[in-house]
Each structure stands twice: as structure tokens, then as C-alpha cells.
């Protein structure tokens, strides 16, 4: 079975239905507890599919947020989710930003302004950083469509004004290249650059293309070019202020610790500002814990763990984390046998069918009859749900393998490397190297 089929089973969970109905029919804040492993991601995916609100999910830290985003990308279309990371490489201490993260941040703001619901996943360090206000963001966007009549020289002038750099070939966000009637632009809100073909001043076609191969990937009818959001002039607001409060529900993992972390990030930036003078003062770009508390009070919230938010109802899930097996199939056999004896349904998820076939073969060679359902595509962590009477186990946890997350900007991160290797391969004997 596919992972989406398991999601459909999870959507029928009585507590998921109760939570969805409460959001739909009542006001106030909710608390949930008892969630383990990737059941949280399944709950968020279910709420997204059952509701018409945006979900802004604030996890404990960067790794938890990245794994949550990765899980959600397995469960539904990536166009429905966004990841909002920190723009800075070292917690605002040195002012050095990461271009690939800037793509994700700009993409998040663009998605929050769409009509369709979106799930945004972030963490305290990123949430602390302010962004340009909605009106400034809208003014800076460049919207283009096939059939538009646009002066190429004026478009290039506007790109220059927003800090885009002209290159022979684009390989990272904030660059453009003009060759005859072809204009390549790498927006900060897309992981692949756009190629615009002009006939005179009319846009004949728009395509995304692969950075390394320079080949077209997908045709587009309408695109939005977004500059680096940290360079846009205008009022700075937090992501909470940018989001539409009437259309957004907050999901806060440990909201009390979240406030403490926001204050810690602000204090670290303040210490650096005092040490190295105002040239490194980033505090005007950060919100404080008090700002955070005032802003979340304007949203409907679902909280988990230690909470600073007053809630009117708690929904408790009856779950356990996947046991630690350490590749010991005696432990695996004993655990599965016990749950099968109690009429639980066993699901084992893997990104490869060969891997679940291998597990079935190991059981057969051991003489164990342990029927289980293979799930194609895995999540980060397994769990046992006593209400659904099911065990959702992952093969990488059974075999103690590291499970790596993938972010939407991974292809953009490799762009500069790909272009550098391409240039190195073009060297010939006698070339001058500086």
C-alpha cells in the first residue's frame, strides 16, 4: 500500500475527527497530548485535508521542523506545504545569510498570500526573525505571464534595482542572464530558475530549467519573481503579523519553551550588538518573547507539551513510540507477535519495496509467521496507536539506519557546485587561471 492510503486510515481516527470538528464548530484554544513519532505529522496532514485554514506549525528546533516538513512532503503535494527556516547561518551573530534558506522564506510569504490553504513549518530561531510587511512584499513582486508585453530593458533595470546580479549563466537565487531574446531569472521564491523567451517585447513562453543541464523542466503560464525579502525596503513584521489571523491556526509544540528560546536569540543578538557596535546590530530584525505572547493571543491555537496558552479542552491520544530493536529480530518477532495476538494491524514502511520484501524474507527464514502490511514511502519515526489498534513501524528504525530529511531548496543548494564543476570541466591546456 502507499503512504497516502495509510493517511486515509489515520484520517478516520476518532480523535482526529473530534479535533477537526472542534476547530470547525467552536472557538477557543485546544491542547493535545500523547502523540509519538510521526503521528504528529499524520495529524497535521489530516487537519490540512479536513480544514480550510492555514496551519502555522512551530516545532521545538530546526531538526524537528525539518523532519516534520519532510514527513508532510511524503503525505501530500509539496505545493501545499512551506518550510520557513532561519535566514542566518549562525543565529544572527555575524549577519551571514544562506541563499537557499532565503528561497524557502520568500516561498513561504508567497504561499501565505495565496487563496488555497497551506501548512507552514518553522522553529523558534526562524520565527524570531522579522520579514517585510505584506504591502512591501506585494510591491516588490514582479508578476509575469505568457502573452504579456514587457519592455526587456525596463524589466532588467527593475531586477538591477532589487539587487539581482547579471551573470553569463544563473546558478543561485538573485541572478539573471540576458542572451538575445532569452532572459533567465532565478527568483528567491522558486527552487529552479525561469527562462523567458521574448518575441520583441512579448513573452512567448516561460519555462523552469535545470541548473546543471540547462534543459527545460516545466512550462509555466504565469510566474512571480521575488527578490531577497531581507533587501526589500519597508516595515518589518514577524511571520505571525504577516499571516492572516482569520485564516490561520497555530500549532505550537512546547509554547512555553518557545517563548524562552525567542528571548534567548534576542539576547544573544543584543550581546553581539553591544560588543561590536551598531554595525552588527540585528535586534531591529528580531522579535522578543513579549512580542510573541502578544501576537499568538490573536490566533486560535493548538498546543502540545508545556504551554503558555490558555486552552479550553485537551484531546489525549493513546500512543507509544516505536520500540528500539537495534537490528535484533528476536525483539522484533516478540513485539510483533504480541501485538498480532491482541488483534493489532502491523504496518512496516520503507522507501523501497525491496526492503520490506527483505524483512518478510527474514521472518520466513526464521520460521516466523508475522503478517504485515508493506507501506511504500516512510516517515521519520514509527509509533503504536492503541485507539486505532495499529503499529506503524519504519524499516530504518528496525535496522538502526540514519534517516535523512530533504528540503525543497536542496536543488538550489547544489546549483553553485554544479556550475563550478561545469566550468572546471571546460578548462583546456594553456588557459589562464587566477
Amino acid at each position: 500500500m502507499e503512504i497516502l492510503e495509510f493517511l486515509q486510515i489515520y484520517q478516520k481516527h476518532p480523535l482526529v475527527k473530534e479535533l477537526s470538528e472542534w476547530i470547525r464548530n467552536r472557538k477557543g484554544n485546544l491542547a493535545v497530548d500523547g502523540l509519538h513519532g510521526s503521528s504528529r505529522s499524520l495529524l497535521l496532514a489530516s487537519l490540512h485535508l479536513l480544514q480550510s485554514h492555514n496551519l502555522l506549525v512551530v516545532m521545538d528546533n530546526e531538526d524537528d521542523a525539518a523532519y516534520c516538513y519532510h514527513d508532510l512532503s511524503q503525505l501530500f503535494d509539496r505545493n501545499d506545504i512551506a518550510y520557513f527556516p532561519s535566514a542566518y547561518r549562525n543565529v544572527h551573530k555575524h549577519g551571514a545569510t544562506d541563499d537557499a534558506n532565503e528561497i524557502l522564506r520568500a516561498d513561504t510569504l508567497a504561499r501565505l498570500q495565496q487563496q488555497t490553504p497551506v501548512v507552514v513549518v518553522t522553529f523558534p530561531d526562524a520565527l524570531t526573525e522579522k520579514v517585510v510587511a505584506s504591502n512591501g512584499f506585494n510591491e516588490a513582486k514582479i508578476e509575469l505571464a505568457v502573452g504579456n508585453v514587457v519592455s526587456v530593458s525596463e524589466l532588467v533595470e527593475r531586477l538591477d534595482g532589487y539587487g539581482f546580479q547579471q551573470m553569463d549563466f544563473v546558478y543561485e537565487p538573485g541572478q539573471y542572464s540576458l542572451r538575445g531574446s532569452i532572459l533567465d531569472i532565478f527568483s528567491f521564491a522558486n527552487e529552479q530558475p525561469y527562462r523567458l523567451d521574448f518575441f520583441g517585447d512579448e513573452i512567448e513562453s516561460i519555462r523552469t530549467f535545470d541548473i546543471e543541464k540547462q534543459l527545460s523542466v516545466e512550462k509555466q503560464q504565469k510566474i512571480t519573481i521575488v527578490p531577497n525579502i531581507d533587501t526589500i525596503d519597508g516595515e518589518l513584521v514577524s511571520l505571525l503579523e504577516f499571516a492572516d489571523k482569520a485564516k490561520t491556526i497555530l500549532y505550537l509544540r512546547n509554547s512555553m519553551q518557545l517563548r524562552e528560546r525567542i528571548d534567548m536569540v534576542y539576547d544573544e543578538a543584543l550581546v553581539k550588538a553591544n560588543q561590536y557596535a551598531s554595525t552588527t546590530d540585528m535586534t531591529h530584525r528580531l522579535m522578543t518573547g513579549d512580542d510573541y505572547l502578544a501576537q499568538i493571543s490573536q490566533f486560535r491555537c493548538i498546543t502540545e507539551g508545556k504551554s503558555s496558552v490558555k486552552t479550553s479542552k485537551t484531546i489525549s491520544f493513546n500512543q507509544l513510540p516505536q520500540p528500539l530493536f537495534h537490528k535484533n529480530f528476536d525483539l522484533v518477532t516478540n513485539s510483533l507477535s504480541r501485538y498480532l495476538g491482541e488483534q493489532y494491524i502491523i504496518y512496516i514502511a520503507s522507501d523501497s519495496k525491496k526492503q520490506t520484501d527483505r524483512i518478510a524474507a527474514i521472518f520466513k527464514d526464521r520460521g516466523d509467521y508475522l503478517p504485515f502490511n508493506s507501506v511504500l514511502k516512510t516517515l521519520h519515526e514509527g509509533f503504536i496507536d492503541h485507539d486505532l489498534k495499529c503499529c506503524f513501524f519504519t524499516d530504518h528504525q528496525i535496522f538502526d539506519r540514519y534517516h535523512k530529511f530533504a528540503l525543497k531548496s536542496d536543488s538550489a543548494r547544489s546549483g553553485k557546485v554544479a556550475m563550478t564543476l561545469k566550468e572546471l570541466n571546460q578548462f583546456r591546456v594553456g588557459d589562464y587561471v587566477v
Side-chain angles (χ1 to χ4, degrees), residues 126-141:
L127 188 64
T128 307
E129 298 168 18
K130 294 181 179 179
V131 297
V132 66
S134 182
N135 56 350
F137 182 76
N138 289 330
E139 289 174 7
K141 290 190 303 186

Side-chain angles (χ1 to χ4, degrees), residues 178-242:
L178 181 60
R179 302 182 304 281
S181 63
I182 297 176
L183 177 62
D184 294 344
I185 309 173
F186 206 145
S187 167
F188 273 91
N190 199 61
E191 62 178 331
Q192 291 178 321
Y194 297 113
R195 177 161 291 160
L196 286 68
D197 283 320
F198 283 84
F199 182 75
D201 284 342
E202 182 181 344
I203 301 176
E204 260 197 330
S205 69
I206 303 174
R207 295 161 287 166
T208 55
F209 66 92
D210 183 271
I211 302 168
E212 184 175 1
K213 299 176 182 176
Q214 294 289 303
L215 297 177
S216 298
V217 175
E218 186 179 8
K219 288 186 176 181
Q220 305 283 333
Q221 290 299 311
K222 185 177 180 181
I223 62 170
T224 301
I225 306 298
V226 178
N228 185 339
I229 60 174
D230 285 337
T231 63
I232 300 173
D233 292 331
E235 180 191 1
L236 294 178
V237 299
S238 72
L239 185 64
L240 296 173
E241 293 173 291
F242 188 95

Side-chain angles (χ1 to χ4, degrees), residues 352-410:
S352 168
K353 187 176 183 304
K354 289 182 180 179
Q355 189 69 1
T356 49
D357 289 345
R358 176 191 173 198
I359 293 173
I362 291 173
F363 288 151
K364 184 178 179 180
D365 291 343
R366 290 170 52 89
D368 299 322
Y369 178 69
L370 298 170
F372 66 88
N373 296 281
S374 300
V375 180
L376 186 58
K377 285 191 180 180
T378 190
L379 302 180
H380 179 49
E381 291 181 318
F383 60 93
I384 299 163
D385 192 302
H386 296 301
D387 295 317
L388 278 182
K389 296 203 76 172
C390 75
C391 300
F392 181 89
F393 291 164
T394 67
D395 74 305
H396 57 268
Q397 286 178 280
I398 291 175
F399 289 102
D400 270 356
R401 287 198 321 273
Y402 174 68
H403 184 235
K404 187 179 184 302
F405 58 77
L407 298 178
K408 188 177 180 181
S409 64
D410 284 348

Side-chain angles (χ1 to χ4, degrees), residues 22-216:
W22 179 275
I23 294 171
R24 187 182 300 114
N25 299 323
R26 304 193 187 189
K27 294 183 178 180
N29 302 318
L30 279 169
V32 296
D33 61 24
L35 292 170
H36 287 281
S38 290
S39 64
R40 183 180 299 104
S41 302
L42 287 160
L43 171 62
L44 293 169
S46 300
L47 291 178
H48 169 70
L49 296 173
L50 295 170
Q51 297 294 326
S52 59
H53 295 83
N54 294 329
L55 276 173
L56 178 50
V57 182
V58 188
M59 300 298 289
D60 284 345
N61 54 57
E62 185 174 4
D63 281 351
D64 286 350
Y67 277 117
C68 180
Y69 171 82
H70 177 80
D71 280 353
L72 292 173
S73 69
Q74 301 285 80
L75 295 168
F76 50 76
D77 194 321
R78 282 199 175 191
N79 290 326
D80 290 345
I81 55 174
Y83 179 64
F84 190 79
S86 170
Y88 297 91
R89 293 176 182 168
N90 194 3
V91 196
H92 330 102
K93 291 181 181 178
H94 308 298
T97 58
D98 186 320
D99 284 340
N101 283 354
E102 291 289 1
I103 292 180
L104 297 170
R105 289 168 65 82
D107 177 63
T108 298
L109 301 190
R111 292 190 184 283
L112 283 172
Q113 292 192 326
Q114 294 177 351
Q115 297 300 316
T116 54
V118 64
V119 181
V120 176
V121 183
T122 188
F123 54 98
D125 293 29
L127 188 64
T128 307
E129 298 168 18
K130 294 181 179 179
V131 297
V132 66
S134 182
N135 56 350
F137 182 76
N138 289 330
E139 289 174 7
K141 290 190 303 186
I142 304 174
E143 296 184 337
L144 302 168
V146 174
N148 284 170
V149 176
V150 180
S151 169
V152 179
S153 59
E154 290 180 6
L155 179 55
V156 166
E157 186 178 343
R158 193 173 177 190
L159 291 172
D160 287 334
Y162 285 137
F164 281 76
Q165 293 181 313
Q166 184 169 8
M167 310 290 290
D168 292 331
F169 299 95
V170 301
Y171 56 81
E172 62 183 4
Q175 297 177 340
Y176 73 91
S177 171
L178 181 60
R179 302 182 304 281
S181 63
I182 297 176
L183 177 62
D184 294 344
I185 309 173
F186 206 145
S187 167
F188 273 91
N190 199 61
E191 62 178 331
Q192 291 178 321
Y194 297 113
R195 177 161 291 160
L196 286 68
D197 283 320
F198 283 84
F199 182 75
D201 284 342
E202 182 181 344
I203 301 176
E204 260 197 330
S205 69
I206 303 174
R207 295 161 287 166
T208 55
F209 66 92
D210 183 271
I211 302 168
E212 184 175 1
K213 299 176 182 176
Q214 294 289 303
L215 297 177
S216 298

Side-chain angles (χ1 to χ4, degrees), residues 292-351:
Y292 155 76
L293 285 180
Q295 290 166 22
I296 64 170
S297 65
Q298 301 173 49
F299 289 86
R300 296 182 66 192
C301 299
I302 302 171
T303 68
E304 183 186 355
K306 293 181 179 179
S307 177
S308 56
V309 178
K310 185 178 180 181
T311 57
S312 53
K313 182 179 176 65
T314 299
I315 294 179
S316 299
F317 287 78
N318 189 10
Q319 296 179 353
L320 290 173
Q322 177 174 334
L324 297 175
F325 297 122
H326 301 299
K327 307 179 195 176
N328 186 330
F329 269 79
D330 287 334
L331 294 177
V332 176
T333 299
N334 291 337
S335 181
L336 266 61
S337 297
R338 177 163 60 87
Y339 284 112
L340 285 170
E342 296 174 7
Q343 305 300 309
Y344 279 61
I345 301 173
I346 309 297
Y347 300 92
I348 299 181
S350 172
D351 286 326

